[in-house]
């Protein structure tokens, strides 16, 4: 595997990678604190590469506040685009491979067919646009890259939909959840395992890949699943998107086709509800 460095290690996916790396016995992986490895600080990145001489750099750093990004365009772009560009340049200079995490929000979401990697990306939010710009910069600068688009990420770490629902469900008798936005939840532990399996494979099939859990669901059904599996007694009502206006527009349908990643790396992807059950069990513990 060689040396691996993780940028954005304090976030949700960084924590998932740490847990999975421990379980898999991955030794030479370094989870770097923000003050040592700020992806906007070119000098700091250079120092990291000189110190650790990584074979792989994993970028988990991202601006993910979708609604806030509509007004915070410069910061979202600096992290999602410029940060990605900085790492691509550093990897190119050092001969390292970059593993970068992107999003289903690069798609417009108006086509009810699972998106493949070659489909045209037409983001409808600042978040989606800046993530796409980051992808484009990496692709332009660095051949040795794996870009993994994922969707609806949750885990026992950080802030996410599952933890929010459990918190709200404990306090309220009734919740109204959007039922006309469809996609696939992704358990961060599964994504982290996929990333480390790709690295362990040693394969050089570089490029763009889609990864989420298997299956298709709405936010409403996702919430229902959370409450069913956690035995939380709360009434959930389905609502339409227009009944819950948000600053950023979301894709209506953002299911991704995972054929390419499964075929290339011989990866088995768990069904979303099975992974959700595991996460809820861990949260209870």
């Amino acid at each position: 595997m060689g040396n691996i460095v993780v940028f954005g290690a304090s976030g949700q996916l960084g924590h998932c990678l740490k847990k999975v790396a421990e379980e898999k016995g991955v030794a030479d992986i370094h989870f770097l604190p923000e003050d040592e490895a700020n992806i906007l600080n070119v000098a700091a990145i250079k120092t990291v590469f000189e110190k650790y001489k990584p074979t792989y750099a994993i970028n988990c750093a991202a601006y993910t506040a979708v609604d806030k990004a509509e007004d915070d365009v410069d910061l979202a772009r600096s992290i999602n685009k410029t940060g990605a560009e900085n790492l691509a340049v550093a990897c190119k200079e050092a001969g390292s491979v970059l593993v970068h995490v992107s999003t289903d929000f690069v798609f417009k979401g108006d086509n009810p067919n699972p998106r493949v990697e070659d489909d045209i990306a037409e983001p409808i939010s600042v978040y989606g646009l800046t993530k796409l710009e980051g992808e484009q910069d990496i692709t332009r600068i660095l051949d040795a890259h794996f870009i993994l688009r994922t969707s609806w990420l949750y885990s026992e770490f950080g802030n996410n939909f599952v933890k929010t629902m459990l918190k709200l469900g404990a306090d309220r008798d009734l919740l109204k959840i959007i039922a006309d936005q469809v996609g696939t939840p992704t358990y961060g532990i599964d994504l982290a395992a996929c990333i480390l399996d790709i690295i362990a494979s040693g394969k050089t099939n570089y490029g763009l890949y889609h990864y989420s859990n298997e299956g298709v669901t709405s936010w409403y059904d996702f919430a229902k699943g959370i409450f069913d599996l956690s035995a939380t007694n709360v009434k959930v009502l389905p609502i339409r998107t227009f009944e819950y206006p948000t600053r950023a527009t979301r894709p209506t349908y953002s299911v991704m086709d995972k054929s390419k990643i499964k075929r290339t790396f011989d990866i088995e992807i768990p069904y979303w509800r099975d992974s959700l059950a595991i996460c809820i069990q861990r949260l209870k513990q």
Side-chain angles (χ1 to χ4, degrees):
M1 272 193 180
N3 253 351
I4 304 167
V5 293
V6 180
F7 292 84
S10 62
Q12 177 177 206
L13 184 56
H15 279 98
C16 291
L17 276 164
K18 198 167 198 175
K19 184 177 174 67
V20 176
E22 285 167 4
E23 288 170 357
K24 286 180 176 284
V26 179
D28 298 321
I29 185 165
H30 308 277
F31 295 89
L32 309 177
E34 302 298 302
D35 57 353
E36 182 186 359
N38 184 336
I39 63 170
L40 300 182
N41 185 332
V42 175
I45 295 170
K46 195 175 175 65
T47 303
V48 164
F49 275 76
E50 286 168 355
K51 179 179 177 182
Y52 295 101
K53 297 179 173 51
T55 308
Y56 292 87
I58 304 174
N59 183 25
C60 299
Y63 186 107
T64 58
V66 178
D67 290 315
K68 216 173 155 198
E70 294 297 311
D71 301 306
D72 212 356
V73 181
D74 290 345
L75 183 59
R77 180 164 280 125
S78 65
I79 296 169
N80 293 340
K81 179 190 186 295
T82 311
E85 183 182 11
N86 291 342
L87 288 179
V89 169
C91 283
K92 188 176 175 71
E93 288 173 354
S96 308
V97 179
L98 178 60
V99 183
H100 176 77
V101 180
S102 192
T103 175
D104 59 322
F105 274 50
V106 299
F107 293 113
K108 192 174 182 179
D110 61 346
N111 183 335
N113 293 299
R115 306 284 79 199
V116 296
E117 288 81 356
D118 293 339
D119 283 339
I120 293 168
E122 295 179 277
I124 51 175
S125 65
V126 168
Y127 167 64
L129 176 62
T130 57
K131 289 297 287 182
L132 178 62
E133 289 169 347
E135 288 184 11
Q136 291 168 337
D137 281 349
I138 291 167
T139 305
R140 175 175 54 81
I141 294 163
L142 181 70
D143 291 334
H145 68 264
F146 296 104
I147 296 171
L148 271 62
R149 289 179 181 149
T150 194
S151 61
W152 301 21
L153 199 66
Y154 71 91
S155 69
E156 49 269 46
F157 307 106
N159 298 314
N160 55 68
F161 186 76
V162 172
K163 289 170 79 174
T164 299
M165 287 299 107
L166 290 172
K167 190 166 178 285
L168 291 174
D171 297 336
R172 300 186 194 176
D173 300 322
L174 174 70
L175 289 170
K176 295 177 180 179
I177 308 292
I178 290 172
D180 59 354
Q181 290 175 22
V182 175
T184 310
T186 306
Y187 185 27
I189 295 291
D190 293 339
L191 176 59
C194 173
I195 289 170
L196 293 176
D197 286 347
I198 287 172
I199 290 172
S201 78
K203 290 185 176 179
T204 56
N205 301 64
Y206 301 130
L208 178 62
Y209 292 89
H210 287 171
Y211 184 93
S212 67
N213 281 123
E214 294 284 25
V216 178
T217 194
S218 67
W219 289 107
Y220 166 77
D221 290 300
F222 188 15
K224 287 284 286 180
I226 293 163
F227 297 132
D228 289 348
L229 291 166
S230 63
T232 303
N233 189 21
V234 57
K235 188 173 183 181
V236 186
L237 293 180
I239 60 168
R240 301 279 301 279
T241 296
F242 73 81
E243 295 176 78
Y244 185 77
T246 54
R247 185 74 181 84
T249 308
R250 266 84 170 161
T252 306
Y253 185 95
S254 63
V255 178
M256 294 187 294
D257 185 300
K258 278 86 66 175
S259 303
K260 183 182 174 185
I261 202 166
K262 288 189 284 190
R263 186 177 62 246
T264 306
F265 299 102
D266 195 27
I267 284 169
E268 280 188 31
I269 302 179
Y271 175 54
W272 74 267
R273 202 174 158 110
D274 294 341
S275 290
L276 177 60
I278 292 167
C279 179
I280 286 172
Q281 195 57 44
R282 287 175 173 170
L283 280 166
K284 279 182 176 176
Q285 292 166 358

